[in-house]
Amino acid sequence: MYQPWLQRVVDRKIDAETLTKHIDEQDISISLIDMVLAADHGVRTYSRVPTIANEGLIAAVLPALEVLAGAINSGNHKLLTQALQCFLIIPQFALKKPPETQPKEKSRASVDNGQGDSDKASSKPSTKSNTWQRRSLLQSQPRARTGSQRAARSPRAHRRVVAQLKQLHPPGSHTPNKPPDISPKHLPIDNNKLKKAANKIANGSAADVFGWTGELIRQLVRDIRTRPHLAKLVCAIRDGEIPEEAREWLLASWLVPLDKGEGKVRPIAGGTILVKLTASYVMETASARAKAIFSQSGTQCGLFMKGGATAAAQFTQLSLDRDPSHISIKVDFTNAFNTIPRKFLLDQLYDIPELTPFFRLAHWAYHQPSHLLLRNAQGNIAAVLQSAEGVRQGCVLGSLTYGVATLPMLTRLKESSKDIETLAFLDDVNITGAQQPALRAFEMLRQEAADIGIRLQNNKCEM
């Protein structure tokens, strides 16, 4: 039933010059980039549908999910990739919102039944159920902008920004090791925790590369017909059993350059909504263990602590007020999230047996590069980059894995002297205490960070 949709995307020809212009790496899959470049990302789609329109949404996605689950069970990687492609492009067709310039009687969105163009389907005479679907979807709230359009509101993706983003994403240094055998596999999915994970990602965030949002996925998780198939897919992603050809589709992400001021940008990339759902589910199952590890250390306020930034700032101020001779050193790293070596990051994660639920998912997400798609102010794709080192800011596992990798360094720093306190909010570190011990701790941190592979940004460090 999805063949007309796939055929329409395939028929959008992308010439070799366009591909060469946007693709720098030779090992990037042309099929994925061709699909993304050819897709009509300018189309407005529905980010959510009301409960009354759920039947139409289920009808659009159920065949693809059934084939996906069957391909996972049988180990048919080619079929799995094809079914995944069909599922991912559904919002472009089944949830397409007709142009606002159309006459009112034709501006009704419908859930396409897979037989062709959804605009044509909505303007033709239809059965009573199809009319009900159209009316239901008409009542839903279309998002104001697609994920790509929202990204286009970031700083203009001109040559300077593209060059800066390339510098912020260095090539990979070493191939990460595989997770140890103690990491579990094929554990059953807890439906209640899966629902909680779906609720967390349904937070109004922009759509992913293909148009899926957390609100749409939440409705699929709540439905008893689609939830078992989604659970099967979540299990396969969690256990790292998705083949490479399908992995690149799941990890493709918009790269959003947020303005940091002074002509600098912060790169944000999160992956597709299915990866976010899986990572959120794993966090639901193992967050208590991770929280205990960070609580014992008492150095990282950026994870599993509400108001962590405020707590770190107030504690630092109290230390300064307690003794006028105390100093505080603010430490800033240069692009720490994107430069910390992945091999080191994953090895540090593997050293903590309590975090075994994260092992396979983290390795699957970071053992190979993933694609970052950058849009310019006109809504066109300006560049295709690769995330090959460090963690992606915006990834559900990004902050956790970075925090785990740097936790031993911060703990040793804190234990180096009883006259200092070390507190961090992710990659921002404060050293507070007596002057000489604090300065020695600063030099110790500089050396240990360099040994890891991250550098201090001296012009941003303050005392």
Side-chain angles (χ1 to χ4, degrees), residues 118-129:
S118 59
D119 286 341
K120 294 180 181 178
S122 63
S123 62
K124 291 180 179 179
S126 59
T127 62
K128 182 177 180 180
S129 60

Side-chain angles (χ1 to χ4, degrees), residues 256-291:
V256 182
L258 298 184
D259 190 3
K260 292 175 60 178
E262 300 179 355
K264 297 183 178 180
V265 297
R266 183 187 304 278
I268 303 297
T272 61
I273 202 67
L274 291 174
V275 175
K276 290 182 179 180
L277 175 65
T278 305
S280 296
Y281 173 78
V282 177
M283 290 291 288
E284 281 292 325
T285 61
S287 60
R289 306 181 193 180
K291 182 178 180 179

Side-chain angles (χ1 to χ4, degrees), residues 151 154 165 169 206-209 250-258 266-273 275-276 337-338 342 365-366 370-374 385-399:
S154 302
L165 288 170
H169 293 90
D208 64 16
V209 171
L250 286 169
L251 291 176
S253 177
W254 291 125
L255 179 60
V256 182
L258 298 184
R266 183 187 304 278
I268 303 297
T272 61
I273 202 67
V275 175
K276 290 182 179 180
F337 269 72
N338 291 316
R342 289 186 175 180
Y366 287 113
S370 58
H371 309 316
L372 306 174
L373 312 177
L374 177 68
L385 308 180
Q386 280 197 319
S387 171
E389 194 72 298
V391 295
R392 295 180 297 276
Q393 298 185 61
C395 172
V396 176
L397 294 181
S399 296

